[in-house]
């Protein structure tokens, strides 16, 4: 495997990020969800306007994992009022870590997580938190392995369907 480079994404990389987001979300969840619900979610959540707004939000940061010139995964972290729920100034939310299925098991997710952890430590945050679908056992196991514990749950909407996300956190102090 070639070396992996993780770089902060800019608005100039909107199309790359959009294609990567759509592909990885679909790969991760299509087998467990209705096709029409998936397409609705992809169209709404990864529209050009929505992603551009997210890229231009001051307290949200995207990072893309590159293998040579190929984008293979990405990370989105939020601080302050950009966080989706807690909005705690002492925390960073990991909103998304997704890796192309062709690169599962190759430590790309770990590298992206390490970037989130590095950001939290640089900003002197007290903890990281995230929401993860309770049925995404691969991701739940990954976060537990990295020291996260479940502290709550919330509802995630995929189209018209309601799914339960585990809310997990890792204290840094």
């Amino acid at each position: 495997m070639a070396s992996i480079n993780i770089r902060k994404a800019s608005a100039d990389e909107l199309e790359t990020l959009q294609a990567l987001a759509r592909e990885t979300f679909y790969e991760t969840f299509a087998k467990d969800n209705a096709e029409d619900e998936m397409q609705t979610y992809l169209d709404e959540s990864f529209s050009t306007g929505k992603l551009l707004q997210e890229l231009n939000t001051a307290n949200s940061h995207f990072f893309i994992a590159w293998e040579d010139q190929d984008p293979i995964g990405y990370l989105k972290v939020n601080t302050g009022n950009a966080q989706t729920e807690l909005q705690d100034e002492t925390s960073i939310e990991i909103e998304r870590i997704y890796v192309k299925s062709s690169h599962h098991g190759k430590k790309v997710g770990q590298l992206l997580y390490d970037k989130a952890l590095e950001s939290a430590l640089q900003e002197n945050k007290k903890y990281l938190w995230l929401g993860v679908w309770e049925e995404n056992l691969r991701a739940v196991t990954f976060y537990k392995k990295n020291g996260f514990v479940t502290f709550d749950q919330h509802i995630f909407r995929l189209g018209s369907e309601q799914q339960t996300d585990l809310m997990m956190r890792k204290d840094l102090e």
Side-chain angles (χ1 to χ4, degrees):
M1 183 168 82
S3 66
I4 306 299
N5 181 22
I6 297 176
R7 296 191 315 259
K8 187 170 181 186
S10 70
D12 294 343
E13 295 170 305
L14 172 65
E15 289 179 10
T16 298
L17 182 62
Q18 185 176 40
L20 186 60
R22 291 178 64 87
E23 178 181 349
T24 56
F25 192 90
Y26 190 86
E27 286 179 339
T28 303
F29 300 113
K31 67 185 178 306
D32 298 311
N33 291 282
E35 182 65 23
D36 59 331
E37 299 291 0
M38 284 296 299
Q39 290 306 318
T40 297
Y41 184 85
L42 294 173
D43 291 344
E44 292 173 1
S45 297
F46 304 121
S47 70
T48 299
K50 185 158 183 357
L51 275 178
L52 189 58
Q53 179 185 12
E54 290 178 9
L55 277 164
N56 289 321
T57 298
N59 290 333
S60 290
H61 305 285
F62 285 90
F63 297 88
I64 299 176
W66 298 87
E67 183 179 53
D68 297 322
Q69 301 302 313
D70 184 27
I72 57 172
Y74 79 104
L75 161 71
K76 181 183 182 201
V77 294
N78 300 313
T79 60
N81 62 1
Q83 295 179 83
T84 59
E85 273 185 62
L86 299 183
Q87 299 185 351
D88 183 341
E89 290 296 330
T90 68
S91 70
I92 282 186
E93 173 191 20
I94 298 174
E95 186 176 350
R96 300 179 198 140
I97 293 181
Y98 286 99
V99 175
K100 287 183 177 182
S101 62
S102 60
H103 287 73
H104 285 179
K106 297 182 179 179
K107 308 292 184 201
V108 178
Q110 188 66 48
L111 291 171
L112 289 165
Y113 165 72
D114 290 346
K115 177 56 85 174
L117 179 60
E118 175 186 307
S119 296
L121 294 172
Q122 284 176 345
E123 295 183 32
N124 296 312
K125 300 299 184 183
K126 293 183 178 178
Y127 65 98
L128 291 158
W129 72 274
L130 55 90
V132 59
W133 187 29
E134 66 183 351
E135 297 195 29
N136 186 351
L137 300 181
R138 178 184 192 95
V140 172
T141 300
F142 172 82
Y143 292 120
K144 285 181 178 178
K145 180 186 79 152
N146 279 287
F148 283 79
V149 295
T150 302
F151 70 93
D152 203 352
Q153 57 186 339
H154 67 201
I155 297 301
F156 175 83
R157 291 198 158 285
L158 186 104
S160 63
E161 294 186 15
Q162 291 187 18
Q163 300 176 350
T164 302
D165 275 4
L166 302 175
M167 293 178 69
M168 302 179 81
R169 72 182 271 160
K170 177 179 179 169
D171 291 327
L172 302 176
E173 297 182 326

